[in-house]
């Protein structure tokens, strides 16, 4: 039987890489749980509330989008709308070309990964440099991020030291402080040379037009300090209604993503620099990116648009821990990716229709999600969509169920099979004709066959007179 692509990838993953991903995500999850529940007596109620706020925005995007546009314009921001990835990338390029700019420093943004902005700009003669340490390492290695928050969770420090040596950033030294110091020295010069800074946006507040950025390295602040133009590429679902909503969302985001009370740098940006500010960009552009989001909004999986990209569902997912982020063949890995990537793929949905099956449906992703997204339900809906659309890739690794369906819909056949099951009690396991079954029994002893017990119990239940209900 053909195995699913994600299984094939996991089977070939080198052991040290699996250990890095497993260890990094397990530690991340444990710290997050401790911090969240130590600090909040009813963290689950907060998750529900955050989910309600984000769902409210999702349900009312038609109202909030004009509102955020008006607030941004009032704050002196130029607003651009991009329906597709190509339109978003072109908007960035047009802004740069209009200013004769050729050098960009870029802070980490998932939406720009989605549009493959860095490659696009390089192909068009723009020098585009990632400044988040993890993203910088990924860029010089020609690699891809494998986690939303920790892009190099799959690498160890020896690999990074080798990479720095290869790219002329210093002789081999795998001391983390040395690695960080070398990256910092290299990047500082680039910040000063750049013309344009590109950031994402963790939140955009409709009421005030505030863009909120959270980082732990301060790189977004450096990007903005010396450049004249700031471009923010933001997905249209990143809106929050009011500034006061940030109190809840920022508290949950930092704890869920990196187990911190607050990320080290939390920036609130309202327009370009004012005449009283000594530095900062003279102009600010916000590109509001759709790229399939309105299609998701129309679907029965719209709850996924609540996602605040904290990565907590990746850390807790048993599949992600074993397979790593690259196994998901898309920008968004883990449980969120298994839902979002096939949806954002649009007409290419059948190419990623296997991802919703990359889940044991244990529900842990829902339990940790700071905006309470019912990911297992969405995975089931997408499995159904894959079946309805006849996506072949989705059925790889699924045992044929035709025989089972016949058995389960014919009572006589079912009863006979139940009686036949008793043979298993006496048949030596080596004679069982199903290899997968034998593999299972190699590790466990099967309990004795009890087929039919449930039906007998049901029969007694039906004939027993019901006890009268005692009223209050
Ligand atoms: S789905 Fe929830 S847990 Fe996963 S990244 Fe998004 S917000 Fe975080």
């Amino acid at each position: 039987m053909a195995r699913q692509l994600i299984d094939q990838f996991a089977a070939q993953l080198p052991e040290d890489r699996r250990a890095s991903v497993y260890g990094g995500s397990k530690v991340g999850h444990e710290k997050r749980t401790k911090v969240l529940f130590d600090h909040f007596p009813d963290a689950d109620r907060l998750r529900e509330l955050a989910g309600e706020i984000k769902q409210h925005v999702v349900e009312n995007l038609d109202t909030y989008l004009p509102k955020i546009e008006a607030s941004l314009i009032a704050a002196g921001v130029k607003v651009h709308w991009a329906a597709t990835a190509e339109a978003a990338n072109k908007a960035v390029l047009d802004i740069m070309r209009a200013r004769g700019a050729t050098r960009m420093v870029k802070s980490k943004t998932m939406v720009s990964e989605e549009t493959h902005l860095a490659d696009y700009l390089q192909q068009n003669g723009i020098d585009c440099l990632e400044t988040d340490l993890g993203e910088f390492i990924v860029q010089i290695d020609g690699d891809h991020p494998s986690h939303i928050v920790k892009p190099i969770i799959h690498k160890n420090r020896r690999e990074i030291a080798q990479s720095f040596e290869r790219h002329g950033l210093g002789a081999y030294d795998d001391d983390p402080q040395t690695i960080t110091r070398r990256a910092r020295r290299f990047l500082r010069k680039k910040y000063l040379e750049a013309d344009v800074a590109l950031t994402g946006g963790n939140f955009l507040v409709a009421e005030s037009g505030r863009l909120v950025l959270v980082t732990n390295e301060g790189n977004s602040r450096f990007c903005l300090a010396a450049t004249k133009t700031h471009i923010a590429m933001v997905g249209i679902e990143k809106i929050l209604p009011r500034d006061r909503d940030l109190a809840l969302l920022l508290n949950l985001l930092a704890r869920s993503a990196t187990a911190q009370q607050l990320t080290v740098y939390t920036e609130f940006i309202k327009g370009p620099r004012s005449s009283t500010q000594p530095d900062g960009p003279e102009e600010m552009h916000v590109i509001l990116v759709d790229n399939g989001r309105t299609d998701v909004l129309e679907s029965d999986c719209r709850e996924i648009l609540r996602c605040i990209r904290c990565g907590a569902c990746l850390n807790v997912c048993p599949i992600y821990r074993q397979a790593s982020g690259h196994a998901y063949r898309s920008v968004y890995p883990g449980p969120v990716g298994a839902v979002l990537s096939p949806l954002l793929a649009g007409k290419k949905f059948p190419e990623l229709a296997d991802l919703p099956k990359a889940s044991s449906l244990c529900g842990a992703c829902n339990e940790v999600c700071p905006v309470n997204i019912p990911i297992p339900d969405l995975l089931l809906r997408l499995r159904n969509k894959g079946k309805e659309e006849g996506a072949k890739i989705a059925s790889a690794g699924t045992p044929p169920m035709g025989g089972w369906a016949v058995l389960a819909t014919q009572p006589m056949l079912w009863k006979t099979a139940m009686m036949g099951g008793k043979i298993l009690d006496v048949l030596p396991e080596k004679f069982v004709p199903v290899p997968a079954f034998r593999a299972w029994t190699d590790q466990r002893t099967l309990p004795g066959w009890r087929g039919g017990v449930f039906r007998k119990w049901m029969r007694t239940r039906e004939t027993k007179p019901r006890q009268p209900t005692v009223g209050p």
Side-chain angles (χ1 to χ4, degrees):
M1 191 188 306
R3 298 172 83 187
Q4 287 195 11
L5 291 177
I6 203 155
D7 288 337
Q8 292 174 26
F9 190 96
Q12 287 166 9
L13 199 65
E15 220 28 71
D16 58 342
R17 195 151 282 211
R18 192 193 317 276
S20 298
V21 175
Y22 185 89
S25 43
K26 184 168 177 286
V27 168
H29 170 62
E30 288 166 355
K31 283 189 183 165
R32 166 251 171 222
T33 307
K34 181 161 177 14
V35 169
L36 196 63
F37 288 92
D38 274 3
H39 294 172
F40 299 124
D42 193 357
D44 284 338
R45 178 65 199 118
L46 296 181
R47 295 191 310 113
E48 283 164 20
L49 182 59
E52 283 162 20
I53 293 171
K54 287 291 294 183
Q55 188 66 25
H56 164 78
V57 172
V58 169
E59 303 289 346
N60 295 283
L61 257 188
D62 55 339
T63 312
Y64 281 110
L65 286 172
K67 209 166 174 182
I68 190 67
E69 182 180 38
S71 300
L72 287 168
I73 290 171
V77 177
K78 296 194 178 81
V79 178
H80 308 252
W81 295 92
T84 60
E86 296 74 34
N89 289 346
K90 187 168 178 313
V92 175
L93 185 64
D94 288 348
I95 295 167
M96 294 201 66
R97 287 211 169 133
R99 282 146 195 82
T102 56
R103 282 165 298 197
M104 168 186 281
V105 276
K106 182 170 171 289
S107 178
K108 183 171 176 302
T109 122
M110 291 308 294
V111 71
S112 74
E113 293 289 336
E114 208 181 297
T115 67
H116 304 290
L117 176 70
D119 290 345
Y120 173 84
L121 291 179
Q122 303 283 10
Q123 283 158 18
N124 284 282
I126 304 284
D127 185 15
C128 171
L129 184 74
E130 300 284 353
T131 59
D132 170 272
L133 180 58
E135 294 280 343
F136 172 68
I137 291 164
V138 160
Q139 186 180 33
I140 60 175
D141 276 352
D143 197 355
H144 296 287
S146 66
H147 190 286
I148 293 176
V149 177
K150 308 169 193 164
I152 49 165
I153 193 171
H154 59 289
K155 286 186 191 287
N156 57 43
R157 59 187 171 151
R158 292 175 295 285
E159 289 172 282
I160 298 167
Q162 285 161 2
S163 166
F164 271 37
E165 189 174 35
R166 264 198 316 277
H167 293 96
L169 290 164
Y172 180 91
D173 189 334
D174 61 17
D175 168 42
Q177 285 195 8
T178 307
I179 290 172
T180 313
R181 206 169 33 243
R182 285 174 174 171
R184 190 180 293 159
R185 199 180 309 133
F186 177 82
L187 289 169
R188 290 264 156 107
K189 208 163 134 273
K190 299 287 183 181
Y191 289 126
L192 296 173
E193 291 170 357
D195 313 298
V196 170
L198 186 122
T199 70
N202 292 86
F203 304 105
L204 257 183
V205 185
E207 144 185 279
S208 61
R210 253 187 203 96
L211 174 78
V212 182
L213 297 175
V214 301
T215 70
N216 271 318
E217 298 172 16
N219 56 311
S220 61
R221 190 167 294 184
F222 271 117
C223 286
L224 298 177
T227 46
K228 287 198 166 55
T229 307
H230 174 198
I231 306 174
M233 232 187 187
V234 191
I236 55 172
E237 81 284 17
K238 290 297 183 80
I239 299 172
L240 284 184
R242 305 157 301 182
D243 283 315
R244 59 187 286 202
D245 298 324
L246 289 168
L248 175 62
L249 269 298
L250 284 172
N251 268 296
L252 286 177
L253 175 59
R255 284 172 175 81
S256 306
T258 44
Q260 292 165 289
Q261 294 188 38
L262 205 57
T263 39
V264 181
Y265 300 88
T266 304
E267 292 169 60
F268 303 87
I269 302 166
K270 192 169 175 187
R273 86 173 189 220
S274 70
S275 54
T276 55
Q277 288 174 306
D279 50 34
E282 290 160 10
E283 57 174 329
M284 179 174 174
H285 300 257
V286 169
I287 302 173
L288 291 164
V289 183
D290 181 330
N291 198 30
R293 284 161 175 75
T294 43
D295 293 337
V296 180
L297 190 63
E298 278 178 19
S299 76
D300 58 357
C301 294
R302 58 169 58 174
E303 292 98 322
I304 199 65
L305 292 176
R306 292 184 209 163
C307 176
I308 55 172
R309 312 284 190 264
C310 72
C313 58
L314 280 62
N315 292 340
V316 76
C317 177
I319 312 297
Y320 175 86
R321 286 182 179 182
Q322 293 297 328
S324 91
H326 291 159
Y328 292 78
R329 317 192 308 281
S330 53
V331 171
Y332 298 105
V336 57
V339 176
L340 193 56
S341 300
L343 285 169
L344 289 181
K347 287 201 174 68
K348 291 188 177 167
F349 171 83
E351 291 175 24
L352 295 176
D354 57 317
L355 293 183
K357 294 217 164 163
S359 170
S360 62
L361 300 178
C362 66
C365 46
N366 174 224
E367 281 177 18
V368 298
C369 179
V371 282
N372 198 25
I373 301 176
I375 297 176
D377 292 349
L378 306 188
L379 289 168
L380 286 175
R381 285 174 213 164
L382 285 176
R383 287 181 186 186
N384 197 35
K385 178 175 158 76
K387 184 163 181 354
E388 278 173 359
E389 294 193 9
K392 281 210 179 81
I393 200 171
S395 55
T398 308
M401 301 297 281
W404 171 262
V406 172
L407 208 58
T409 51
Q410 307 292 325
M412 278 315 291
L413 272 179
W414 181 261
K415 276 185 208 161
T416 315
M418 286 296 116
M419 286 189 286
K422 289 204 189 310
I423 297 170
L424 287 174
D425 285 345
V426 289
L427 191 71
E429 281 166 10
K430 63 180 175 185
F431 295 128
V432 176
V434 183
F437 185 79
R438 280 206 303 275
W440 203 76
T441 53
D442 278 350
Q443 310 292 324
R444 305 164 184 81
T445 308
L446 273 186
W449 179 264
R450 300 177 65 220
V453 173
F454 178 72
R455 295 167 70 90
K456 269 187 215 145
W457 174 78
M458 277 297 282
R459 270 199 301 275
T460 23
R461 191 170 169 273
E462 275 162 13
T463 49
K464 238 190 213 171
R466 281 176 185 266
Q467 297 296 320
T469 313
V470 181

